[in-house]
Structures are given as structure tokens and as C-alpha cells.
Amino acid sequence: MDGDVLIRRARTADVRGIRRLIDLQGPGLLLDKATVTLYEHVQEFRVAQRPTDGAIVGCGALHVMWEDLAEIRTVAVDPECQGMKIGRRIVTELLTTARELGVTRVFVLTFETGFFGSFGFVEIDAAPVPHAVYEQLLRSYDEGVAEFLELDRVKPNTLGNTRMLLRL
């Protein structure tokens, strides 16, 4: 299979492909998101599109959480395309976007510690925000923020993953 894919900003027409990639990952690997949430956050996503048939074969999102903090989330690659460095290209693009936005720290909750470690992410123990910011983040309705804060309602979805942080 040709390893050449186009990495680009997601469009609303890509949400069905993003949904398919999330569903292909199996339960417990990614925080499940309602399709409506994917549409609401489509501007956060980058996708990998295969030029031969237009299929979306990879995705990832950058969600700004605070002035200096963003999270990379929902990184997924079609199992048939793994090993083609698609995930690496998507994360590189998301980190570039974080720098452009002025974010100085990027956070990830992951089972793929080796992959994210190769970018310079390091394991951390707790949410890397002061108490006052934590209190503000508690007001968010975003499930990813709830996961970041380790709220009980999302713990069944995140058991066993690792918190990692990269300083840009």
C-alpha cells in the first residue's frame, strides 16, 4: 500500500471517517465520543487522507484547555495503515499547531507511552495545573477535560493509561 497520505485540517465531511477510526480502535483505548461531539470539535482535528480513494485513514485532535495547556486526543490510525508513520505525522502537525497558538505545554493520556515518549513527552503523576485553574476546569462540560481531571465519571474509560506532558 502506498504510504503517501495527505495530512490536513478536518472538514465536516470527514467526521464519518473519524467516527469509523474511533470505532476500529476497540473499547477502552480511546475515550468514546458522541458523533455530535466530533462535529462540534471538527476544527480541532487533523486527518490523514489516502489520495487513491479519499479514505480517512488517520486522525488526531488538539484541544486547548487553558492559556498555556493543550491536550492531544483521539489519535487513531486505521489498523491496515499502521506502521506507515501516519500517527507520527499527525502528532507532528498537532504540535506545530500548539506552537502557533502559543501553547507551552501539551498533555496526553495514553497507553502508547513509547510513541509519545519519542516526541519528548514524559510521564507525570497528576494534572499539571495549579488549584485555581483546576477549579476553573471543573466547570467544563468536555469529557476529555473530565478525563484530564480524573473525575470519577470517566475513570472506567481511563484505567491503565498514562499521563504524559511535553514542554514546548
Side-chain angles (χ1 to χ4, degrees):
M1 177 182 291
D2 184 8
D4 191 31
V5 296
L6 171 66
I7 307 295
R8 62 170 175 76
R9 292 183 76 84
R11 300 186 281 254
T12 57
D14 300 324
V15 169
R16 290 176 195 228
I18 294 169
R19 167 91 274 150
R20 181 185 72 83
L21 291 171
I22 292 169
D23 293 344
L24 282 173
Q25 303 310 305
L29 290 181
L30 295 176
L31 186 63
D32 190 33
K33 291 178 173 36
T35 302
V36 67
T37 303
L38 297 174
Y39 280 109
E40 290 172 345
H41 296 129
V42 70
Q43 71 279 0
E44 297 180 351
F45 277 87
R46 296 295 183 275
V47 294
Q49 184 176 33
R50 190 168 46 211
T52 54
D53 60 5
I56 301 302
V57 296
C59 68
L62 179 75
H63 181 77
V64 175
M65 299 178 77
W66 202 250
E67 176 182 8
D68 62 342
L69 182 68
E71 179 187 11
I72 289 180
R73 53 170 65 167
T74 320
V75 175
V77 174
D78 187 308
E80 292 182 9
C81 298
Q82 290 182 353
M84 297 168 57
K85 307 232 181 274
I86 292 170
R88 175 163 295 286
R89 289 180 58 198
I90 289 170
V91 170
T92 298
E93 182 70 23
L94 295 172
L95 291 173
T96 297
T97 301
R99 287 181 184 96
E100 290 170 355
L101 291 171
V103 171
T104 58
R105 299 177 302 151
V106 179
F107 174 79
V108 67
L109 285 166
T110 187
F111 293 100
E112 302 295 334
T113 56
F115 173 74
F116 283 101
S118 72
F119 288 93
F121 283 83
V122 295
E123 293 184 28
I124 60 171
D125 290 328
V129 293
H131 183 72
V133 173
Y134 183 93
E135 291 294 322
Q136 291 292 320
L137 291 174
L138 281 175
R139 297 178 180 162
S140 173
Y141 293 105
D142 185 276
E143 285 300 301
V145 173
E147 182 182 30
F148 170 78
L149 298 176
E150 291 189 302
L151 301 183
D152 287 336
R153 72 176 192 260
V154 295
K155 283 193 178 181
N157 295 320
T158 60
L159 293 176
N161 65 11
T162 301
R163 296 168 164 273
M164 300 183 82
L165 184 72
L166 174 66
R167 294 186 187 280
L168 299 177

